[in-house]
Coordinates of all heavy atoms in Angstrom, one line a residue:
M1 N 0.8 -1.2 0.0 CA 0.0 0.0 0.0 C 0.9 1.2 0.0 O 0.6 2.2 -0.7 CB -0.9 -0.2 1.2 CG -1.2 1.0 2.0 SD -2.3 0.7 3.4 CE -1.4 1.2 4.7
S2 N 2.0 1.2 0.7 CA 2.9 2.4 0.6 C 4.2 2.0 0.1 O 4.7 0.9 0.4 CB 3.0 3.0 2.0 OG 3.6 2.1 2.9
K3 N 4.8 2.8 -0.7 CA 6.1 2.5 -1.3 C 7.2 2.6 -0.2 O 7.1 3.4 0.7 CB 6.4 3.5 -2.4 CG 5.5 3.3 -3.6 CD 5.8 4.3 -4.7 CE 4.9 4.1 -5.9 NZ 5.1 5.1 -6.9
P4 N 8.2 1.8 -0.3 CA 9.3 1.9 0.7 C 10.0 3.3 0.6 O 10.3 3.8 -0.5 CB 10.2 0.8 0.3 CG 9.8 0.2 -1.0 CD 8.4 0.7 -1.3
L5 N 10.2 3.9 1.7 CA 10.8 5.1 1.8 C 12.4 4.9 1.8 O 12.9 4.1 2.6 CB 10.4 5.9 3.1 CG 11.1 7.2 3.3 CD1 10.8 8.2 2.2 CD2 10.7 7.8 4.7
I6 N 13.0 5.6 0.9 CA 14.5 5.4 0.8 C 15.2 6.8 1.0 O 14.8 7.7 0.4 CB 14.9 4.8 -0.5 CG1 14.3 3.4 -0.7 CG2 16.4 4.7 -0.6 CD1 14.6 2.8 -2.0
V7 N 16.1 6.8 1.9 CA 16.8 8.0 2.2 C 18.3 7.7 2.0 O 18.8 6.6 1.9 CB 16.6 8.5 3.6 CG1 15.1 8.8 3.9 CG2 17.1 7.6 4.7
K8 N 19.1 8.8 2.1 CA 20.6 8.6 2.0 C 21.1 8.6 3.4 O 20.8 9.5 4.2 CB 21.2 9.7 1.2 CG 21.0 9.6 -0.3 CD 21.8 10.7 -1.0 CE 21.6 10.5 -2.5 NZ 22.3 11.6 -3.3
C9 N 22.0 7.6 3.7 CA 22.6 7.6 5.0 C 23.4 8.9 5.2 O 24.1 9.4 4.4 CB 23.6 6.4 5.1 SG 24.7 6.4 6.5
P10 N 23.1 9.6 6.4 CA 23.8 10.9 6.6 C 25.3 10.8 6.8 O 26.0 11.8 6.7 CB 23.1 11.4 7.9 CG 22.6 10.2 8.6 CD 22.3 9.2 7.5
I11 N 25.8 9.6 7.0 CA 27.2 9.4 7.2 C 28.0 9.1 5.9 O 28.9 9.7 5.5 CB 27.5 8.3 8.2 CG1 26.8 8.6 9.6 CG2 29.0 8.1 8.4 CD1 27.2 9.9 10.2
C12 N 27.5 8.1 5.2 CA 28.3 7.6 4.0 C 27.5 7.8 2.7 O 28.0 7.5 1.7 CB 28.6 6.1 4.2 SG 27.2 5.0 4.1
K13 N 26.3 8.3 2.8 CA 25.4 8.7 1.7 C 24.9 7.5 0.9 O 24.5 7.6 -0.2 CB 26.2 9.6 0.7 CG 26.9 10.8 1.4 CD 25.9 11.6 2.2 CE 26.6 12.8 2.9 NZ 25.7 13.5 3.8
S14 N 25.0 6.3 1.5 CA 24.4 5.1 0.8 C 22.9 5.2 0.9 O 22.4 5.8 1.9 CB 24.9 3.9 1.6 OG 26.3 3.7 1.4
L15 N 22.2 4.5 0.0 CA 20.8 4.5 0.1 C 20.3 3.6 1.2 O 20.8 2.4 1.3 CB 20.2 4.1 -1.3 CG 20.5 5.0 -2.4 CD1 19.9 4.5 -3.7 CD2 19.9 6.4 -2.1
V16 N 19.4 4.0 2.0 CA 18.9 3.2 3.1 C 17.4 3.1 3.0 O 16.6 4.1 2.9 CB 19.2 3.9 4.5 CG1 18.8 3.0 5.6 CG2 20.7 4.3 4.5
E17 N 16.9 1.9 3.1 CA 15.4 1.6 3.1 C 14.8 1.8 4.5 O 15.5 1.6 5.5 CB 15.1 0.2 2.5 CG 15.5 0.1 1.1 CD 15.1 -1.2 0.5 OE1 14.2 -1.9 1.1 OE2 15.6 -1.6 -0.6
R18 N 13.6 2.2 4.5 CA 12.9 2.5 5.7 C 12.9 1.3 6.7 O 12.8 1.5 7.9 CB 11.5 2.9 5.4 CG 10.7 3.5 6.6 CD 9.4 4.0 6.2 NE 8.6 4.5 7.2 CZ 7.4 5.1 7.1 NH1 6.9 5.1 5.9 NH2 6.8 5.6 8.1
D19 N 12.8 0.1 6.2 CA 12.8 -1.1 7.1 C 14.1 -1.5 7.6 O 14.3 -2.5 8.3 CB 12.0 -2.2 6.4 CG 12.7 -2.7 5.1 OD1 13.7 -2.1 4.8 OD2 12.2 -3.7 4.5
N20 N 15.2 -0.8 7.3 CA 16.5 -1.1 7.8 C 16.5 -0.9 9.3 O 15.9 0.1 9.8 CB 17.5 -0.1 7.1 CG 18.9 -0.5 7.5 OD1 19.3 -0.7 8.6 ND2 19.8 -0.6 6.5
D21 N 17.1 -1.8 10.0 CA 17.1 -1.7 11.5 C 17.8 -0.4 12.0 O 17.5 0.0 13.1 CB 17.9 -2.9 12.1 CG 17.1 -4.2 12.0 OD1 15.9 -4.1 11.8 OD2 17.7 -5.3 12.1
Y22 N 18.7 0.1 11.2 CA 19.5 1.3 11.6 C 19.0 2.5 10.9 O 19.7 3.6 11.1 CB 20.9 1.0 11.3 CG 21.4 -0.3 11.9 CD1 21.7 -1.4 11.1 CD2 21.6 -0.4 13.3 CE1 22.2 -2.6 11.6 CE2 22.0 -1.6 13.8 CZ 22.3 -2.7 13.0 OH 22.7 -3.8 13.5
F23 N 17.8 2.5 10.2 CA 17.3 3.7 9.6 C 17.3 4.9 10.6 O 17.0 4.7 11.7 CB 15.8 3.4 9.2 CG 15.2 4.5 8.4 CD1 15.3 4.6 7.1 CD2 14.5 5.5 9.1 CE1 14.7 5.7 6.4 CE2 13.8 6.5 8.5 CZ 14.0 6.6 7.1
P24 N 17.7 6.1 10.2 CA 18.1 6.5 8.8 C 19.5 6.2 8.4 O 20.0 6.7 7.4 CB 17.8 8.0 8.8 CG 18.2 8.4 10.2 CD 17.8 7.2 11.1
F25 N 20.2 5.4 9.2 CA 21.6 5.0 8.9 C 21.6 3.7 8.1 O 20.7 2.9 8.3 CB 22.5 4.9 10.1 CG 22.4 6.2 11.0 CD1 21.6 6.3 12.1 CD2 23.2 7.3 10.6 CE1 21.5 7.4 12.8 CE2 23.1 8.5 11.3 CZ 22.3 8.5 12.5
C26 N 22.7 3.4 7.4 CA 22.7 2.2 6.6 C 23.2 1.0 7.4 O 22.9 -0.1 7.1 CB 23.6 2.4 5.4 SG 25.4 2.5 5.8
S27 N 23.9 1.3 8.5 CA 24.4 0.2 9.3 C 24.7 0.6 10.7 O 24.7 1.8 11.0 CB 25.8 -0.3 8.6 OG 26.7 0.8 8.7
D28 N 25.0 -0.3 11.5 CA 25.4 0.0 12.9 C 26.6 0.9 13.0 O 26.7 1.7 13.9 CB 25.6 -1.3 13.7 CG 25.8 -1.1 15.2 OD1 25.1 -0.3 15.7 OD2 26.7 -1.8 15.7
R29 N 27.5 0.6 12.1 CA 28.8 1.4 12.1 C 28.5 2.9 11.8 O 29.0 3.8 12.5 CB 29.7 0.9 11.0 CG 31.1 1.5 11.2 CD 32.1 0.8 10.3 NE 31.9 1.2 8.9 CZ 32.8 0.9 7.9 NH1 33.9 0.3 8.2 NH2 32.6 1.3 6.7
C30 N 27.6 3.2 10.9 CA 27.3 4.6 10.6 C 26.5 5.2 11.7 O 26.7 6.4 12.1 CB 26.5 4.7 9.3 SG 27.6 4.6 7.9
K31 N 25.6 4.5 12.4 CA 24.9 5.0 13.5 C 25.8 5.3 14.6 O 25.7 6.4 15.3 CB 23.9 3.9 14.0 CG 23.0 4.4 15.1 CD 21.9 3.3 15.4 CE 21.0 3.8 16.5 NZ 20.0 2.8 16.8
T32 N 26.8 4.5 14.9 CA 27.8 4.7 16.0 C 28.6 5.9 15.6 O 29.0 6.7 16.4 CB 28.7 3.5 16.2 OG1 27.8 2.4 16.5 CG2 29.7 3.7 17.3
N33 N 28.9 6.0 14.3 CA 29.7 7.1 13.8 C 29.1 8.5 14.2 O 29.7 9.4 14.6 CB 30.0 7.0 12.3 CG 31.0 7.9 11.8 OD1 31.1 9.1 12.2 ND2 31.8 7.4 10.9
D34 N 27.7 8.5 13.9 CA 27.0 9.8 14.2 C 27.0 10.1 15.7 O 27.2 11.2 16.1 CB 25.6 9.6 13.7 CG 24.8 10.9 13.8 OD1 25.2 11.8 13.1 OD2 23.9 11.0 14.6
L35 N 26.8 9.1 16.5 CA 26.8 9.3 18.0 C 28.2 9.7 18.4 O 28.4 10.5 19.3 CB 26.5 8.0 18.7 CG 25.0 7.5 18.5 CD1 24.8 6.2 19.2 CD2 24.1 8.5 19.1
G36 N 29.3 9.2 17.7 CA 30.6 9.6 18.0 C 30.9 11.1 17.7 O 31.6 11.7 18.4
N37 N 30.2 11.6 16.7 CA 30.3 13.1 16.5 C 29.8 13.9 17.7 O 30.5 14.9 18.0 CB 29.4 13.4 15.3 CG 30.1 13.0 13.9 OD1 31.2 12.6 13.9 ND2 29.3 12.9 12.9
W38 N 28.8 13.5 18.3 CA 28.3 14.2 19.5 C 29.3 14.0 20.6 O 29.7 15.0 21.3 CB 27.0 13.6 20.0 CG 25.8 14.0 19.1 CD1 25.3 13.3 18.0 CD2 25.0 15.2 19.2 NE1 24.3 14.0 17.5 CE2 24.1 15.2 18.2 CE3 25.1 16.2 20.1 CZ2 23.1 16.2 18.1 CZ3 24.1 17.2 20.0 CH2 23.2 17.2 19.0
A39 N 29.8 12.8 20.8 CA 30.7 12.5 22.0 C 32.0 13.2 21.8 O 32.7 13.6 22.8 CB 30.9 11.0 22.1
S40 N 32.5 13.4 20.6 CA 33.8 14.0 20.4 C 33.8 15.6 20.2 O 34.8 16.2 20.0 CB 34.5 13.4 19.1 OG 33.7 13.7 18.0
G41 N 32.6 16.1 20.4 CA 32.5 17.6 20.4 C 32.4 18.2 19.1 O 32.6 19.4 18.9
V42 N 32.0 17.5 18.1 CA 31.7 18.1 16.8 C 30.6 19.1 16.8 O 30.6 20.1 16.3 CB 31.4 17.0 15.7 CG1 30.9 17.6 14.4 CG2 32.6 16.1 15.5
Y43 N 29.6 18.7 17.7 CA 28.5 19.6 17.9 C 28.8 20.4 19.2 O 29.4 19.9 20.1 CB 27.2 18.8 18.1 CG 26.9 18.0 16.8 CD1 27.1 16.6 16.8 CD2 26.3 18.6 15.7 CE1 26.8 15.9 15.7 CE2 26.0 17.9 14.6 CZ 26.3 16.5 14.6 OH 26.0 15.8 13.4
T44 N 28.3 21.6 19.3 CA 28.5 22.4 20.5 C 27.7 21.9 21.7 O 26.5 21.7 21.7 CB 28.1 23.8 20.2 OG1 28.8 24.3 19.1 CG2 28.4 24.7 21.4
I45 N 28.4 21.6 22.8 CA 27.8 21.2 24.0 C 28.2 22.2 25.1 O 29.4 22.4 25.4 CB 28.3 19.8 24.4 CG1 28.0 18.8 23.3 CG2 27.7 19.4 25.7 CD1 28.5 17.4 23.5
P46 N 27.2 22.8 25.8 CA 27.5 23.7 26.9 C 28.4 23.1 28.0 O 28.2 21.9 28.3 CB 26.1 24.0 27.4 CG 25.2 23.7 26.3 CD 25.8 22.6 25.6
D47 N 29.4 23.8 28.4 CA 30.3 23.2 29.4 C 30.3 24.2 30.6 O 30.5 25.4 30.5 CB 31.7 23.1 28.8 CG 32.7 22.4 29.7 OD1 33.0 23.0 30.7 OD2 33.0 21.3 29.4
S48 N 30.2 23.6 31.8 CA 30.1 24.4 33.0 C 31.4 25.1 33.3 O 31.4 26.3 33.7 CB 29.7 23.6 34.2 OG 30.6 22.5 34.4
Q49 N 32.5 24.5 33.0 CA 33.8 25.1 33.2 C 34.0 26.3 32.3 O 34.6 27.3 32.7 CB 34.9 24.0 33.0 CG 35.0 23.0 34.1 CD 36.2 22.1 34.0 OE1 36.7 22.0 32.9 NE2 36.6 21.5 35.0
A50 N 33.6 26.1 31.0 CA 33.8 27.2 30.0 C 32.9 28.4 30.4 O 33.3 29.5 30.3 CB 33.3 26.7 28.6
H51 N 31.7 28.1 31.0 CA 30.9 29.2 31.4 C 31.5 30.0 32.6 O 31.5 31.2 32.7 CB 29.5 28.6 31.9 CG 28.5 29.7 32.3 ND1 28.4 30.1 33.5 CD2 27.6 30.3 31.5 CE1 27.4 31.1 33.5 NE2 26.9 31.2 32.3
D52 N 32.1 29.3 33.5 CA 32.8 29.9 34.6 C 34.0 30.7 34.2 O 34.2 31.9 34.6 CB 33.3 28.8 35.6 CG 33.8 29.4 36.9 OD1 33.1 30.1 37.5 OD2 35.0 29.1 37.2
F53 N 34.7 30.2 33.2 CA 35.9 30.9 32.7 C 35.4 32.2 31.9 O 36.0 33.2 32.1 CB 36.6 30.0 31.7 CG 37.9 30.6 31.1 CD1 39.0 30.8 31.8 CD2 37.8 31.1 29.8 CE1 40.2 31.4 31.3 CE2 38.9 31.7 29.3 CZ 40.1 31.8 30.0
D54 N 34.3 32.1 31.2 CA 33.8 33.2 30.4 C 33.4 34.3 31.4 O 33.6 35.5 31.1 CB 32.6 32.8 29.6 CG 32.0 33.9 28.8 OD1 32.7 34.4 27.9 OD2 30.9 34.3 29.1
D55 N 32.8 34.0 32.5 CA 32.4 35.0 33.5 C 33.6 35.8 34.0 O 33.6 37.0 34.2 CB 31.6 34.3 34.6 CG 31.0 35.3 35.6 OD1 30.2 36.1 35.1 OD2 31.4 35.2 36.8
D56 N 34.6 35.1 34.3 CA 35.9 35.7 34.8 C 36.5 36.6 33.8 O 37.0 37.7 34.1 CB 36.8 34.5 35.2 CG 38.1 35.1 35.9 OD1 37.9 35.9 36.9 OD2 39.2 34.8 35.4
E57 N 36.5 36.1 32.5 CA 37.2 36.9 31.5 C 36.5 38.2 31.1 O 37.1 39.2 30.9 CB 37.3 36.0 30.2 CG 38.2 36.6 29.2 CD 38.5 35.6 28.0 OE1 37.5 35.2 27.4 OE2 39.6 35.3 27.8
S58 N 35.1 38.1 31.2 CA 34.4 39.3 30.9 C 34.7 40.4 31.9 O 34.7 41.6 31.6 CB 32.9 39.0 30.9 OG 32.4 38.6 32.2
G59 N 35.0 40.1 33.1 CA 35.4 41.0 34.2 C 36.7 41.7 33.8 O 37.0 42.8 34.0
T60 N 37.6 40.9 33.2 CA 38.9 41.3 32.9 C 38.9 42.3 31.7 O 39.5 43.4 31.7 CB 39.8 40.2 32.5 OG1 39.9 39.2 33.5 CG2 41.3 40.6 32.1
I61 N 38.0 42.0 30.7 CA 37.9 42.9 29.5 C 37.3 44.3 29.9 O 37.8 45.3 29.5 CB 37.0 42.2 28.5 CG1 37.7 41.0 27.9 CG2 36.7 43.2 27.3 CD1 36.8 40.1 27.1
H62 N 36.3 44.2 30.8 CA 35.7 45.5 31.1 C 36.5 46.1 32.3 O 36.2 47.1 32.8 CB 34.3 45.3 31.5 CG 33.4 44.8 30.3 ND1 33.1 45.6 29.3 CD2 32.9 43.7 30.1 CE1 32.4 44.9 28.4 NE2 32.2 43.7 28.9
Ligands
ZN1 ZN1 26.2 4.7 6.1

C-alpha cells in the first residue's frame, strides 16, 4: 500500500530503506559514527567550566 521510503545515510550517503534496522543510517557502524560526532564535540555542548571561565574573562575585559 505504501512504497518503501528510501533515504541517504547521513554518514556515508548510501541509500537506506525504511525497514532497515538502523534507519536512517545504513548500518550499525554509521549509527555509531553519528553518535561519535556528539561525543567528540563536533556539535557544540555547553560546558560548566567554560561558562565559569567566560564569566571571569568578561570582568577582565571591562
Ligand atoms: Zn552509512
Side-chain angles (χ1 to χ4, degrees):
M1 138 178 125
S2 61
K3 294 180 180 178
L5 178 63
I6 300 178
V7 301
K8 285 185 179 180
C9 171
I11 303 300
C12 71
K13 313 304 180 186
S14 295
L15 295 179
V16 187
E17 293 187 16
R18 188 177 181 177
D19 60 357
N20 189 309
D21 286 345
Y22 307 107
F23 183 88
F25 306 99
C26 69
S27 66
D28 185 42
R29 191 172 71 168
C30 282
K31 185 177 182 180
T32 302
N33 193 319
D34 188 66
L35 293 174
N37 286 344
W38 284 93
S40 63
V42 171
Y43 301 102
T44 304
I45 301 174
D47 188 292
S48 60
Q49 286 187 338
H51 184 269
D52 185 56
F53 181 78
D54 180 64
D55 185 58
D56 184 54
E57 189 171 58
S58 65
T60 303
I61 293 172
H62 294 292

